[in-house]
Amino acid sequence: MVNLNTIAPKNGRSYYIALGLEGSANKLGVGVIKHPILKEQEIGDHSHDCHAEILSNIRDTYTTPPGEGFLPRDTARHHRNWCVRLIKRALKEAKINDPRLDLDVICFTKGPGMGAPLHSVVIAARTCSLLWDIPLVRVNHCVGHIEMGREITKAVNPVVLYVSGGNTQVIAYSENRYRIFGETLDIAIGNCLDRFARTLKIPNAPSPGYNIEQLANKCKNKDQLVELPYTVKGMDLSMSGILAYIDSLAKDLFKGNKKNKILFDTKTGEQKVTVEDLCYSLQENLFAMLVEITERAMAHVNTSQVLIVGGVGCNVRLQEMMAQMCKDRANGQVHATDERFCIDNGVMIAQAGLLQYRMGDVVKDLKETIVTQKFRTDEVYVSWRE
Amino acid sequence: MSQELVDQVSKYLTPAIPIEPISQGAEAVVFTTTIHPYLPTINEKQKFIIKYRPAKRYRHPIIDRSLTKHRTLSESRLLAKLYQIPGIHVPKLIACDPYNGCIWLEFLGEDLPDAFGFSNLKNFLWMHASENQNPYGDIVRETLFKVGEQIGLLHWNDYCHGDLTSSNIVLVKKDEKWEPYLIDFGLGSTSNLVEDKGVDLYVLERAILSTHSSYAEKYNEWLIEGFSEVYKSNGKQGAKKLNEVMKRFGEVRLRGRKRSMLG
C-alpha cells in the first residue's frame, strides 16, 4: 500500500513545497511546486494526481551559434553564471520570502546527463541545502520527465515515449520500476536532428529540432520522399546510419555534386531535392520508426495510453502521427505536454523529487550527492506507485 | 480493435469469407476463418489464420507501401523455407498477397484453462506464476528448454527472428506436453552474422525481463540451456559457434546506453 503522507510538511503546514534544480544539458531550469495533503493518497496509488500547483517554472537555455553544438565546459560555465540569479527569481515568483521556513525539500538531477553541467548545478543544490538547512533529494532525469507528464496529463499507466537530445526510450511501468522496452542502440533522436541542423547551418534558437520542423512544414513536394534507411531492430532502433546518410546527401547538395542521382537529374542536371525535402523526409522516417516501436510496446503490455515526454515531444508532427496511430487502435489516447513541460525544466525534478521525499527517500549524508552521467531509468525503485 | 479496420478487411476478403478478429498486434491484425483460400471445405470445424497488415495511416504512404510489401513477402518466404527444415516448428503457409499485406496460415494453439487466455508463452508463464502454481515447476522448465531449442535450431540454420518475445511463441499441446511454435517472422531474416543472433537473444532476454520480471533470471537461464543444447549436439564446430554467439550476446548486452559501468 502506498502512503504518500507519512512525512508531515514542515511547520504544521497543510502542503509541501519543493524546489527543483535541473541542468543536465544545455538548459538550466529552476522550478517550485506545491502539493496539498490529500486524504486519498494515504490509501492507494494517486501519484498521477497530486493536485500539484506550479508556483514558478524558469528556464534559461545556453544557445550556440549555427553550426556548433554545446560543449560541456561552456555549458557548465553558463549554468554557474546563471544558477543563483535563476533560483532567486524562481523563489520571488513563487512568493517564498524565507526559504528556511517555506521549503520542504530541494531536488536536483543526479543523472543522466553531461558531467560538467550536472556538477555545477549540484554544487548550487548543496549550498542551498546547507545554507537553509533543508534536505536534499536526488532525482533521475528521465523519471522526472515521466512524473511531470503523468501529473500534467493525468495519465494513469501509459506507455511512455521519452524522446530528447540525449535519450530515446520506450518505457512502461511494471513492478516498481520504469522498465525500458525499446531504446536507441546508438545516438538519440534529438541528437540526430541537432547534428543535421548543424550540417545545414540553421540557427540553434529556440531549438534546432524546432527549426527543422519549420523547414519540413515548408516542403512543397510532400508526395515524394527521399528514401532513407529504416532501421527498427525489434523494439530498438538505430539512427547513426540515417544521420550519416542524410548528412552526405546534404553535403552533396551544398557542393552541387551533379553525380548524385538522388539529388540531381542525370540528363538535365536539374536539382530535384531541396533542403526542405530532406528535413521532411528525415522527420517522416525517424518518427515512423518511433511510432512503430511505441505501438509494439503498447501491443506487448496491452495498454491504450501513450505519453510523450522529452524535448522532441513538442514536435507537432510527431504528436499527430502518434494520435493517428492511437486512433487506429481501439480506444487509444495520446497524452502530450507543451514546451513548458516537455523541454527540460526544474518543475519536473521538483515533482519527482517531492514524490520521493514524501515516500521518505532523502539524502542522509552529503557524500550521497554525487552526480553521474550514466543512470538508467530502470535503476530507480519507484516506491510511490503500486 | 476498431470496427473500421474490421470492415476494411472484410471488404478486401469479400463477404464469402467470414472472419473473426482474435488479436491486434503492433503491425498486423489476426483473424480466424473457416474457409480455405483454394481447397474445398473438408470439415466444418477447420480453422485458419489470416494475418493482415493494414496500411498505417500515421506514416508516409511511400514508407508504408514499401514496408508492408517487404515484410509480408519476407515473412512468407521465411515461413516457407523454415517449414521444410526438420525440427523447426513454424505454422504452415497457405497463401500470400504481399501488395495487400495479407497471409493465410494454419491455426495453432488453444485456450489455456481458467481464463488465462490463448496458449502463447506469455500467458503460459503468467498462468504458472499465479497463485497455487509453481513458477519453477518441471513443466515450465521443460517448455522453456524446448523454446530455447527452437531458437537454437533457427540460429543454427542461419535464420533470425528479429522480434522474439514471449507473445510470439505459441504453445501447442501434444500428449500432455507443450510444443513451442515460433510465429510472427515479420522482422525475420536469413543471416549468418553472429551480430544478428546476439541481438536476437538480447531482445528475448529483455522481453522476458520486462514481462516476467520476478522469475526472469531462471527463465532466461533455461532458455539458454535449450539454445546451447542444439549447438553442442553439432560437435566441435557447434561448440565453437556457440562460443562466438554467446560472446557477442554478452557484448550486445553491454551496449545499451547509460548503463552504469560497475565491475
Side-chain angles (χ1 to χ4, degrees):
Chain A
M1 188 74 70
V2 176
N3 181 359
L4 274 170
N5 297 346
T6 40
I7 291 177
K10 237 181 193 173
N11 305 331
R13 281 190 263 117
S14 61
Y15 54 87
Y16 302 86
I17 289 188
L19 172 73
L21 302 173
E22 148 66 29
S24 60
N26 69 335
K27 283 110 190 158
L28 177 63
V30 180
V32 181
I33 204 166
K34 176 172 158 184
H35 281 184
I37 288 193
L38 299 171
K39 258 274 168 279
E40 71 260 24
Q41 285 180 332
E42 280 169 27
I43 44 153
D45 183 359
H46 289 277
S47 58
H48 65 286
D49 191 10
C50 301
H51 296 244
E53 194 183 320
I54 290 143
L55 302 180
S56 62
N57 180 13
I58 294 172
R59 172 168 57 224
D60 194 84
T61 308
Y62 170 58
T63 318
T64 49
E68 282 176 37
F70 50 92
L71 298 170
R73 192 180 50 178
D74 304 332
T75 316
R77 188 175 54 220
H78 166 268
H79 289 3
R80 281 199 301 276
N81 286 343
W82 285 90
C83 203
V84 175
R85 273 177 273 187
L86 251 55
I87 293 175
K88 277 186 176 165
R89 251 178 67 201
L91 291 177
K92 197 173 166 202
E93 206 171 285
K95 300 206 170 56
I96 290 174
N97 301 322
D98 191 350
R100 248 172 278 250
L101 300 174
D102 293 336
L103 285 183
D104 285 287
V105 61
I106 297 173
C107 318
F108 67 94
T109 314
K110 180 185 170 190
M114 290 164 97
L118 279 172
H119 257 290
S120 36
V121 176
V122 76
I123 288 170
R126 283 183 204 134
T127 315
C128 292
S129 162
L130 291 173
L131 202 63
W132 300 329
D133 192 22
I134 296 171
L136 284 167
V137 171
R138 44 212 168 146
V139 178
N140 180 304
H141 183 87
C142 317
V143 173
H145 271 296
I146 298 170
E147 289 309 334
M148 199 67 221
R150 288 178 68 230
E151 175 65 30
I152 298 286
T153 63
K154 311 283 182 232
V156 184
N157 187 19
V159 163
V160 183
L161 175 66
Y162 172 29
V163 275
S164 70
N167 293 284
T168 303
Q169 299 177 334
V170 179
I171 301 159
Y173 173 83
S174 151
E175 292 175 37
N176 295 99
R177 305 244 174 215
Y178 284 115
R179 298 187 194 269
I180 302 172
F181 272 71
E183 66 185 319
T184 171
L185 297 171
D186 38 57
I187 59 172
I189 177 141
N191 195 232
C192 182
L193 293 170
D194 290 359
R195 278 159 72 175
F196 186 56
R198 262 177 253 163
T199 311
L200 297 180
K201 296 248 171 14
I202 57 177
N204 284 328
S207 74
Y210 178 80
N211 292 328
I212 288 191
E213 189 184 352
Q214 299 313 309
L215 280 175
N217 285 342
K218 283 187 206 138
C219 169
K220 290 201 186 74
N221 197 2
K222 293 195 178 172
D223 296 335
Q224 288 301 315
L225 213 56
V226 179
E227 204 178 315
L228 298 172
Y230 190 90
T231 39
V232 168
K233 302 188 173 188
M235 296 264 211
D236 295 331
L237 34 90
S238 151
M239 281 170 286
S240 59
I242 301 175
L243 175 65
Y245 180 71
I246 198 158
D247 255 357
S248 75
L249 284 182
K251 278 177 187 146
D252 274 358
L253 191 66
F254 290 142
K255 269 194 291 190
N257 182 0
K258 304 266 178 196
K259 280 181 199 147
N260 194 322
K261 283 178 212 154
I262 299 164
L263 302 170
F264 298 98
D265 196 303
T266 32
K267 286 190 187 121
T268 58
E270 202 182 328
Q271 186 179 334
K272 288 195 291 189
V273 175
T274 63
V275 169
E276 285 82 4
D277 296 344
L278 287 182
C279 289
Y280 179 72
S281 302
L282 180 64
Q283 273 203 51
E284 288 297 313
N285 201 66
L286 289 178
F287 295 167
M289 286 163 48
L290 284 180
V291 178
E292 185 181 341
I293 59 166
T294 313
E295 189 172 15
R296 224 172 261 284
M298 280 170 80
H300 195 68
V301 298
N302 215 353
T303 164
S304 57
Q305 291 179 316
V306 189
L307 171 65
I308 313 178
V309 299
V312 183
C314 305
N315 191 302
V316 177
R317 178 64 189 141
L318 176 61
Q319 293 181 5
E320 252 173 45
M321 283 167 81
M322 200 59 89
Q324 182 71 60
M325 180 270 280
C326 284
K327 212 178 117 200
D328 292 349
R329 292 184 72 82
N331 314 319
Q333 281 174 297
V334 183
H335 299 281
T337 55
D338 61 31
E339 157 282 321
R340 286 171 300 165
F341 306 110
C342 255
I343 299 176
D344 293 351
N345 58 75
V347 186
M348 68 183 206
I349 301 299
Q351 167 71 13
L354 189 49
L355 286 171
Q356 270 168 260
Y357 174 74
R358 291 172 68 175
M359 294 305 293
D361 175 12
V362 286
V363 170
K364 295 192 180 65
D365 185 352
L366 275 189
K367 262 191 238 160
E368 297 169 19
T369 59
I370 47 158
V371 290
T372 166
Q373 304 196 52
K374 294 180 174 165
F375 188 14
R376 280 174 73 79
T377 318
D378 48 13
E379 281 174 47
V380 181
Y381 182 79
V382 182
S383 53
W384 56 92
R385 287 187 68 176
E386 306 234 287
Chain B
M1 192 173 314
S2 68
Q3 190 55 41
E4 201 184 330
L5 198 59
V6 179
D7 294 344
Q8 196 186 327
V9 185
S10 310
K11 201 177 148 210
Y12 158 69
L13 288 169
T14 73
I17 298 168
I19 48 169
E20 196 153 327
I22 51 170
S23 85
Q24 179 169 25
E27 59 170 70
V29 271
V30 182
F31 300 91
T32 55
T33 182
T34 51
I35 309 282
H36 193 285
Y38 44 84
L39 292 180
T41 307
I42 313 160
N43 84 50
E44 295 295 316
K45 279 190 185 146
Q46 60 179 3
K47 250 180 167 182
F48 304 98
I49 292 280
I50 296 178
K51 182 172 173 182
Y52 179 73
R53 287 184 165 79
K56 297 281 183 197
R57 280 182 291 182
Y58 65 80
R59 59 191 174 205
H60 196 281
I62 294 180
I63 297 180
D64 188 63
R65 270 200 300 275
S66 95
L67 284 178
T68 304
K69 187 189 137 204
H70 178 82
R71 286 183 182 165
T72 315
L73 204 56
S74 75
E75 179 170 7
S76 313
R77 279 200 190 118
L78 277 175
L79 283 172
K81 283 181 194 160
L82 288 172
Y83 192 73
Q84 294 168 352
I85 298 175
I88 293 188
H89 297 320
V90 292
K92 184 176 172 184
L93 178 72
I94 297 171
C96 154
D97 176 1
Y99 294 97
N100 291 305
C102 191
I103 40 184
W104 296 58
L105 301 163
E106 82 177 301
F107 184 86
L108 293 171
E110 57 187 271
D111 277 332
L112 292 170
D114 303 329
F116 276 101
F118 183 68
S119 66
N120 59 26
L121 184 65
K122 181 166 81 174
N123 291 338
F124 171 80
L125 291 177
W126 277 349
M127 180 174 81
H128 282 279
S130 64
E131 269 173 68
N132 306 325
Q133 292 264 15
N134 181 6
Y136 296 129
D138 283 345
I139 179 117
V140 178
R141 180 179 185 147
E142 196 185 334
T143 310
L144 284 169
F145 186 85
K146 280 187 190 161
V147 173
E149 272 183 335
Q150 282 298 312
I151 298 164
L153 273 170
L154 192 73
H155 284 185
W156 177 252
N157 288 291
D158 284 342
Y159 290 94
C160 286
H161 186 281
D163 187 18
L164 282 172
T165 61
S166 49
S167 31
N168 279 342
I169 296 161
V170 172
L171 303 175
V172 176
K173 205 167 204 171
K174 275 183 195 155
D175 314 325
E176 290 307 301
K177 291 201 169 145
W178 295 98
E179 284 298 332
Y181 278 67
L182 301 176
I183 59 160
D184 191 358
F185 283 84
L187 289 171
S189 58
T190 53
S191 165
N192 53 8
L193 299 175
V194 261
E195 166 71 15
D196 293 342
K197 294 171 189 173
V199 169
D200 233 15
L201 290 177
Y202 179 58
V203 168
L204 178 66
E205 184 185 73
R206 276 236 314 251
I208 298 281
L209 211 60
S210 50
T211 29
H212 312 283
S213 324
S214 318
Y215 316 106
E217 206 173 314
K218 214 67 208 149
Y219 287 174
N220 279 319
E221 192 188 310
W222 291 337
L223 283 169
I224 294 300
E225 266 174 34
F227 180 85
S228 309
E229 196 54 41
V230 176
Y231 274 74
K232 282 181 193 151
S233 68
N234 279 294
K236 234 180 188 169
Q237 209 200 350
K240 195 179 146 226
K241 281 195 174 175
L242 175 66
N243 207 357
E244 283 170 16
V245 175
M246 294 318 284
K247 198 174 150 225
R248 185 59 69 98
F249 176 34
E251 282 169 21
V252 175
R253 208 189 264 150
L254 291 176
R255 219 183 274 161
R257 286 169 62 87
K258 309 223 159 87
R259 231 164 263 285
S260 47
M261 296 294 177
L262 295 171

